[in-house]
Amino acid sequence: MREFKEMVASFHDAGLQVILDVVYNQTAEGNEHGPTLSFKGIDNASYYRLTPDQLRYYINDTGTGNTLNLSHMRVIQMVTDSLRYWVTETHVDGFRFDLGTILAREPNGFDNQSGFLKACCQDPILNTVKLIAEPWDCGPGGYQVGGFPPGWAEWNDKFRDTVRDFWCGQVSASALAPRLSASGDCFNHRGRKAWACINFVAAHDGFTLNDLVTYNEKHNEANGEDNNDGSSNNRSWNCGVEGPTEDEAIQALRERQIKNVLATLLLSQGTPMLLAGDELGRTQRGNNNAYCLDSEISWLDWNIEKRGRSLIQFVQQLIRLRHNYLILRRSRFLTGDYNEELGVKDVTWVNASGSEMRVEEWDDSNMHCFGMLMDGRAQPTGISRRGEDATLLMVLNAHNDLVKFTLPETVGGREWSLLIDTNLAEISETSNFVSGDSYSATGRSVLLFALHPDAFS
């Protein structure tokens, strides 16, 4: 524990916070055939959810044999005491709750006013740290993305699935636009903020980002289960060849696809979550269920090659942009509604001709190239006053072919600077354009432009 405390302190000294991944949904005692290690022998009926008509058997909403009973006051006390210990003694900055829906289950199912959620929200210690739910479990009604109360953040697998599908050419602009806007359709209610939406494309379960663009199929042979374990629904695309290849054109496309996903993740509204190693092209050789392996497949190799260093530099650039441009991390949801008092629309969706998207274009399943115009003059808080952030234009082209994209007319300026083009290794300092200019968006690429405000704006 001393070493853990020193680690947390070292992270804090470096300006980094520590989120602890915790599992309070089940224990190692398993079902009725499992061992009696602790809670079974202390008070089985209080600590575990049991089937009402046959109390010998355990409710298995976790997929591991048993489900902790967070309806019982002593179980709530046990969990909250544990959480407070980690905060007060080790000074962690928050928690990510594995199968978080379990913690909010009452006898009749998930309840966003459950005893545990209320206990956390009123606790003078726990309501000061970050609380992040994995908002699903294996039980009935277990999928609850967007269902947690204000103050909680949640993993958003809708972002993961839609971004993967978009860059594979499976969905169009109408599916992706809400995900770029912190999934307001899921989270913008009851006063919740955009940061409550935790965006991710890869996590500890499943393909790494590198493998997402390298393999169509899982390759879990090393796990010893004849490749039957792990999900087969990976929403991946190998760009034409399964696994590593010497084909330079495919290598270039894979590199661009990785950058496209990274840019989509870090330039979207909400809170981005990046899987360790994705910033340097880590591979698990197509294994999407490597938790059971202690080998080079699951290790993170710190002998970073040239390709890895290039990706790291790109991620650093994206993080700098997110830090420098506040419009990319608003706590207030971008809705596209026109504010008559301020004369501003916070986000405008534009087509390749530089015009605002029409209804028929939203309905077009082949609409794979569009722009997101984020107006920095939009109201940034609940106070009705104009913002002073920069205006940015993000362009996403998931077509196979180049698209001539016209930079839109907008209030406040006419000159645009190119900040990101995932097809270019470097951006020239003189890459400036004016509204009405046409920019060649390479097939499968992301662009980011910043508006130079007029002197009088």
Side-chain angles (χ1 to χ4, degrees):
M1 185 56 70
R2 177 182 59 81
E3 291 179 349
F4 184 90
K5 292 179 180 180
E6 291 174 350
M7 179 197 72
V8 173
S10 296
F11 276 120
H12 287 171
D13 289 343
L16 298 172
Q17 295 188 346
V18 177
I19 306 296
L20 193 63
D21 193 325
V22 291
V23 181
Y24 293 112
N25 56 72
Q26 48 85 18
T27 76
E29 292 188 296
N31 60 17
E32 60 276 6
H33 300 297
T36 297
L37 302 175
S38 57
F39 301 124
K40 279 185 180 181
I42 296 172
D43 190 347
N44 186 57
S46 294
Y47 281 97
Y48 294 109
R49 295 197 182 278
L50 308 176
T51 56
D53 54 341
Q54 291 182 297
L55 296 180
R56 174 189 174 188
Y57 298 104
Y58 293 77
I59 292 175
N60 184 19
D61 290 336
T62 63
T64 63
N66 63 57
T67 303
L68 212 60
N69 181 18
L70 266 294
S71 296
H72 196 284
M73 67 181 76
R74 291 298 170 236
V75 182
I76 293 177
Q77 181 183 15
M78 175 186 70
V79 174
T80 52
D81 283 352
S82 174
L83 293 171
R84 279 191 294 270
Y85 171 85
W86 286 104
V87 176
T88 58
E89 296 298 320
T90 73
H91 304 292
V92 298
D93 302 281
F95 304 93
R96 179 267 187 185
F97 294 87
D98 182 74
L99 299 184
T101 306
I102 292 290
L103 307 178
R105 280 191 178 273
E106 297 292 356
N108 294 325
F110 175 83
D111 185 350
N112 62 16
Q113 295 296 309
S114 73
F116 175 75
L117 295 183
K118 286 180 178 178
C120 289
C121 290
Q122 64 78 43
D123 190 284
I125 294 174
L126 299 182
N127 69 11
T128 65
V129 299
K130 294 175 173 61
L131 304 174
I132 303 170
E134 181 184 34
W136 49 77
D137 63 35
C138 302
Y143 186 77
Q144 292 293 334
V145 171
F148 279 70
W152 282 74
E154 302 170 42
W155 276 22
N156 183 10
D157 66 333
K158 294 181 184 292
F159 182 93
R160 175 197 66 196
D161 293 349
T162 306
V163 170
R164 290 187 180 197
D165 286 346
F166 180 78
W167 289 113
C168 289
Q170 300 300 312
V171 300
S172 61
S174 60
L176 186 63
R179 307 301 154 236
L180 300 177
S181 308
S183 295
D185 55 331
C186 300
F187 295 94
N188 190 9
H189 59 90
R190 299 179 64 202
R192 301 189 75 180
K193 303 298 184 182
W195 53 256
C197 172
I198 306 291
N199 296 322
F200 70 103
V201 180
H204 61 284
D205 295 323
F207 276 159
T208 66
L209 178 52
N210 178 87
D211 293 356
L212 193 66
V213 303
T214 308
Y215 298 92
N216 282 353
E217 310 295 337
K218 64 182 181 181
H219 295 270
N220 297 355
E221 291 80 6
N223 299 352
E225 298 186 38
D226 296 325
N227 204 33
N228 291 317
D229 64 308
S231 174
S232 296
N233 183 26
N234 294 293
R235 290 179 155 90
S236 60
W237 178 47
N238 63 17
C239 300
V241 174
E242 186 74 356
T245 179
E246 298 299 320
D247 188 310
E248 293 184 357
I250 292 179
Q251 288 179 349
L253 176 57
R254 287 176 177 175
E255 199 76 3
R256 195 160 67 249
Q257 285 285 76
I258 289 174
K259 289 184 176 181
N260 291 339
V261 172
L262 290 169
T264 307
L265 174 64
L266 285 162
L267 301 179
S268 291
Q269 301 293 307
T271 303
M273 185 185 84
L274 184 64
L275 174 64
D278 278 354
E279 78 282 7
L280 50 85
R282 173 177 171 258
T283 179
Q284 291 184 167
R285 303 176 190 170
N287 194 311
N288 71 358
N289 197 33
Y291 80 97
C292 58
L293 300 177
D294 183 10
S295 68
E296 291 181 355
I297 291 177
S298 61
W299 298 341
L300 204 161
D301 186 358
W302 291 107
N303 294 314
I304 303 172
E305 299 178 353
K306 180 180 180 181
R307 172 176 178 262
R309 291 193 295 272
S310 175
L311 277 177
I312 289 173
Q313 291 172 358
F314 181 70
V315 172
Q316 290 172 331
Q317 181 184 11
L318 291 172
I319 292 173
R320 281 195 298 269
L321 291 171
R322 188 175 180 88
H323 177 77
N324 293 335
Y325 291 97
L326 298 180
I327 190 67
L328 293 174
R329 47 191 176 93
R330 287 265 176 113
S331 62
R332 186 180 178 90
F333 286 91
L334 303 183
T335 64
D337 296 332
Y338 182 73
N339 186 319
E340 294 187 1
E341 181 181 353
L342 301 179
V344 175
K345 181 183 285 191
D346 53 11
V347 62
T348 302
W349 305 97
V350 295
N351 57 28
S353 65
S355 303
E356 186 167 1
M357 294 264 285
R358 304 183 300 272
V359 173
E360 57 268 27
E361 290 173 318
W362 286 117
D363 295 336
D364 184 357
S365 61
N366 293 315
M367 188 65 174
H368 296 303
C369 181
F370 68 108
M372 180 183 186
L373 179 61
M374 296 164 276
D375 196 326
R377 301 171 304 135
Q379 179 179 334
T381 67
I383 301 173
S384 184
R385 67 183 179 200
R386 186 170 286 181
E388 298 178 348
D389 299 340
T391 292
L392 299 181
L393 170 68
M394 178 166 57
V395 177
L396 305 100
N397 179 20
H399 283 295
N400 290 322
D401 299 324
L402 180 147
V403 173
K404 294 284 190 178
F405 198 97
T406 301
L407 298 177
E409 301 281 348
T410 188
V411 177
R414 294 191 68 250
E415 187 175 350
W416 297 90
S417 288
L418 177 66
L419 303 178
I420 291 288
D421 182 339
T422 57
N423 186 52
L424 300 178
E426 295 182 0
I427 304 296
S428 169
E429 295 182 0
T430 59
S431 296
N432 294 331
F433 308 87
V434 297
S435 297
D437 282 352
S438 179
Y439 186 90
S440 296
T442 303
R444 302 191 187 278
S445 66
V446 174
L447 314 172
L448 184 69
F449 296 89
L451 183 70
H452 289 252
D454 291 334
F456 61 86
S457 297

